[in-house]
Amino acid sequence: MLLKLGREDEADAALAVARKVAGDAGASEVWQARFCAIDATFAFERVGGDAPPAEREAALVRATEAWEECLASYPTDALVVTETIGFFESQGLDDRVIPLLRRALETSPENVGFHVSLGQRLAASGEFEEAEKVLLAATELSASLNSGFLTQAEA
């Protein structure tokens, strides 16, 4: 929000305080992934819509690289994967989303959300046979997880 108001210095200061507090507390990998996502988001949002095209293009390159670094560091973090997908789609980089989801499923095959997202995108791109397989796997995984939950609840 501070960036949209043109208050970059305050946003940077607030983020620095948050990082210090998290660092002093021994931030978990989850928090480290959040900070990575914030940095990637800021890389593009710092440049306003009225910036010259060359400046916006440079910010797009920096942000794309920042999201790729987040994915490399936190490939199983659902927020990082989801936010990266949102960024890619907002920039018309849709061709990068399906491969990203495939990689995410390789490292996190139990993530039902990744299955559903991949299945939806495959179906939208006309890859119905593969979409069906992925969505059926999500259904089976979800049923298995729900069954385990119910068994624990009954105990």
Side-chain angles (χ1 to χ4, degrees):
M1 181 58 88
L2 290 172
L3 289 179
K4 291 186 189 280
L5 296 172
R7 297 166 62 179
E8 288 182 30
D9 292 341
E10 290 174 63
D12 287 336
L15 188 54
V17 169
R19 280 184 195 282
K20 171 134 178 48
V21 169
D24 289 347
S28 67
E29 188 168 309
V30 170
W31 275 106
Q32 292 172 26
R34 300 300 175 269
F35 284 124
C36 190
I38 290 167
D39 290 341
T41 299
F42 278 14
F44 190 67
E45 288 184 357
R46 287 184 186 283
V47 179
D50 56 347
E55 191 175 325
R56 288 189 56 77
E57 183 63 30
L60 175 61
V61 169
R62 283 192 305 274
T64 302
E65 290 170 352
W67 281 116
E68 289 170 347
E69 287 175 21
C70 286
L71 283 172
S73 298
Y74 309 101
T76 61
D77 187 274
L79 178 102
V80 168
V81 171
T82 303
E83 291 296 316
T84 303
I85 288 169
F87 172 75
F88 285 165
E89 289 178 333
S90 74
Q91 300 306 314
L93 302 170
D94 298 328
D95 59 319
R96 301 186 71 177
V97 173
I98 289 175
L100 186 161
L101 282 166
R102 284 187 173 126
R103 282 191 311 273
L105 276 175
E106 286 174 9
T107 57
S108 231
E110 74 291 343
N111 188 308
V112 175
F114 292 167
H115 281 273
V116 172
S117 291
L118 178 58
Q120 290 171 331
R121 283 165 177 83
L122 288 168
S125 68
E127 298 178 50
F128 301 113
E129 193 173 312
E130 186 178 359
E132 180 181 21
K133 289 177 185 175
V134 170
L135 292 171
L136 283 172
T139 303
E140 292 169 5
L141 182 59
S142 182
S144 171
L145 292 172
N146 286 335
S147 173
F149 176 74
L150 292 174
T151 302
Q152 288 179 348
E154 293 169 355

